[in-house]
Amino acid sequence: MDAPEPEATPFSAVTAQTSRVSRAYQSYLDKSTPYVTYRWIGTGALLLVFLLRIVLSEGWYIVCYSLGIYLLNLFLAFLQPKFDPSLSQDEGLEDGDSMKSPLPTTRDEEFRPFIRRLPEFKFWHSATRAISIAFACTWSELFNVPVFWPVLVVYWIILFTLTSKYILLRG
């Protein structure tokens, strides 16, 4: 009357282990959620170790540059609102309703708080993951592409300046 157990295939064993590791990882992430300061200190320390690795090894500048571009992208997404109020203002202009104020004029209008496009936890998690992956890439010669690093630094500064100016003017 006992049903025979299905045979354990290698695929099902790998799937079971992957799901177990995924649950444990998610559990650690959930436990770390309230410790914002400690999480960022850990990420800063990891970034410092990564930068020390780059400086002392005198290589992997393209990995460092790629990480910088990705972190800049994350930071700008963190600063931007999820719902852009300037877009809702422009909608009224298209309909011919140019007199409508973007601010609430009556008590019945709903207050919309600032909601970030990228929440702090996702920003931290993505940044930490990216730094970890970049650090792992510095241990492979495959990613040690010879480049003239001052050009990358100047290009990154120009990109940062132009992007920040665009974000600030758009507001």
Side-chain angles (χ1 to χ4, degrees), residues 56-135:
L56 295 177
S57 66
E58 298 178 357
W60 292 276
Y61 299 119
I62 199 77
V63 172
C64 188
Y65 174 74
S66 302
L67 177 65
I69 294 294
Y70 182 71
L71 292 179
L72 175 64
N73 185 25
L74 287 177
F75 182 65
L76 292 174
F78 175 72
L79 292 179
Q80 292 176 342
K82 185 171 188 175
F83 306 107
D84 193 359
S86 65
L87 295 178
S88 63
Q89 291 171 4
D90 294 344
E91 289 173 6
L93 294 174
E94 291 173 0
D95 299 337
D97 187 15
S98 63
M99 298 303 290
K100 187 174 180 181
S101 171
L103 299 174
T105 55
T106 64
R107 292 183 142 253
D108 296 338
E109 288 188 38
E110 184 178 339
F111 169 71
R112 291 170 49 182
F114 182 79
I115 300 171
R116 297 184 187 281
R117 196 172 87 187
L118 181 67
E120 181 272 333
F121 185 81
K122 288 185 179 181
F123 177 35
W124 167 79
H125 187 243
S126 298
T128 305
R129 244 188 343 196
I131 295 167
S132 300
I133 291 169
F135 186 71

Side-chain angles (χ1 to χ4, degrees), residues 132-148:
S132 300
I133 291 169
F135 186 71
C137 287
T138 63
W139 294 99
S140 171
E141 283 297 321
L142 177 69
F143 300 106
N144 192 9
V145 179
V147 292
F148 187 59

Side-chain angles (χ1 to χ4, degrees), residues 4-42:
E5 291 185 26
E7 287 186 31
T9 63
F11 179 74
S12 65
V14 169
T15 304
Q17 289 299 324
T18 303
S19 111
R20 187 179 66 78
V21 168
S22 175
R23 281 193 311 270
Y25 178 70
Q26 187 62 47
S27 172
Y28 286 125
L29 284 178
D30 293 343
K31 289 176 185 175
S32 72
T33 302
Y35 304 107
V36 177
T37 306
Y38 297 118
R39 284 190 282 122
W40 282 106
I41 288 172

